[in-house]
Amino acid sequence: MTCEIIFEPNALNAAARFLEEDPAGLAEVLDAIDELAQDPRPVASTPYGLDIRRLRVDDYRVLYVIESEIIRILVTHLGRTAWLGDLRHAENAGVVRPRRVL
């Protein structure tokens, strides 16, 4: 069974931005999204609330909704996660991250 994949305008705008910044990374994300058509709940995805799932692809995250009645996958958000290099740069610039207290 194949699902239809639909992108929200905000997700398309983010993809256009990432196309300029990181075309290879965006290609990997779009390949992973294409695979959702065959398997909408891959092992790499996790539930994110009641109706939303989150898929991580390297430094990127995709939030999507599975509409089971019509078998459509609605990609609602495409973003990049902060990576350790950004955090180290912030600390070197004098920005201190709060430490978790156990």
Side-chain angles (χ1 to χ4, degrees), residues 15-34:
R17 244 187 356 263
F18 297 141
L19 180 61
E20 294 175 5
E21 299 171 6
D22 184 16
L26 179 62
E28 191 174 338
V29 170
L30 293 176
D31 288 343
I33 291 172
D34 284 344

Side-chain angles (χ1 to χ4, degrees), residues 55-73:
L55 176 66
R56 289 188 180 264
V57 181
D58 287 333
D59 290 338
Y60 293 90
R61 68 188 176 281
V62 178
L63 297 179
Y64 64 99
V65 176
I66 301 170
E67 296 177 349
S68 58
E69 296 164 359
I70 29 182
I71 311 174
R72 290 191 310 177
I73 297 173

